Amino acid sequence: MRVYQTKVEKLKGTDFVEVRRKAFFIFKQIKKKTKRQPYIRSAYFSKEKVFLNIFWAHLFEKPSSERLRRLKYFAAAIELIEHNRFTPTTKTDSNNPRFLLHRFSGLTKENEMFYVQIKEDISSQKKYLISIFPDI
């Protein structure tokens, strides 16, 4: 498995509000580009759209300390999705065989490992950013 090295640092901050403000600034710039669902184009999926709205719902299901830990990697994850061409580990979703789960590996500028998980609907070919999380 190959790992993508990002040029972006983790988002700085000690509390969730501070990091969320920085992540939402990045998200708003992406959201401004479209009138519908916010998305970014993925190099690995031949410039197909990866929608971002499910990520926020999934993030707010987590405890606040876990939210902070995951959200610090938001900028690096966006870069990874946009520029990574390395093959992810892919498996079918155990809860619903209609979906594929793609897990990409990345390193931040500080050489901290993190993962980005993208869910693909097999029938419609739509892709959704599900989760960003650091290596243990």
Side-chain angles (χ1 to χ4, degrees):
M1 175 174 72
R2 296 186 61 192
V3 177
Y4 179 79
Q5 175 73 52
T6 64
K7 296 176 180 100
V8 180
E9 295 180 352
K10 281 186 348 181
L11 296 176
K12 304 288 185 210
T14 54
D15 67 337
F16 178 71
V17 175
E18 186 179 356
V19 174
R20 188 186 72 157
R21 189 177 321 120
K22 293 173 184 177
F24 258 65
F25 178 76
I26 296 167
F27 180 68
K28 280 182 189 176
Q29 289 183 333
I30 294 167
K31 193 175 177 180
K32 266 196 282 189
K33 296 177 184 177
T34 182
K35 292 180 180 177
R36 294 180 180 91
Q37 289 185 30
Y39 66 88
I40 52 178
R41 295 204 178 259
S42 171
Y44 176 76
F45 294 114
S46 304
K47 296 294 181 185
E48 290 181 19
K49 296 175 182 178
V50 176
F51 296 100
L52 303 176
N53 51 356
I54 292 179
F55 167 72
W56 294 105
H58 176 75
L59 182 70
F60 284 101
E61 291 174 357
K62 304 292 178 196
S64 62
S65 62
E66 186 65 21
R67 279 186 236 154
L68 172 63
R69 218 179 88 183
R70 290 172 181 237
L71 201 55
K72 285 186 174 190
Y73 293 90
F74 186 73
I78 296 298
E79 182 187 331
L80 182 140
I81 294 168
E82 287 179 333
H83 301 293
N84 179 35
R85 292 188 182 276
F86 300 144
T87 306
T89 55
T90 302
K91 64 179 184 176
T92 56
D93 189 353
S94 58
N95 298 331
N96 191 345
R98 189 177 131 203
F99 294 105
L100 289 176
L101 297 174
H102 305 281
R103 184 174 289 177
F104 295 90
S105 303
L107 283 173
T108 63
K109 193 173 183 180
E110 302 96 352
N111 288 323
E112 293 183 32
M113 182 80 134
F114 69 98
Y115 300 99
V116 174
Q117 194 157 308
I118 294 177
K119 185 179 203 174
E120 179 181 0
D121 187 340
I122 295 173
S123 60
S124 69
Q125 299 293 310
K126 285 189 176 183
K127 292 152 191 74
Y128 303 94
L129 173 62
I130 293 294
S131 186
I132 303 166
F133 52 96
D135 198 17
I136 301 168

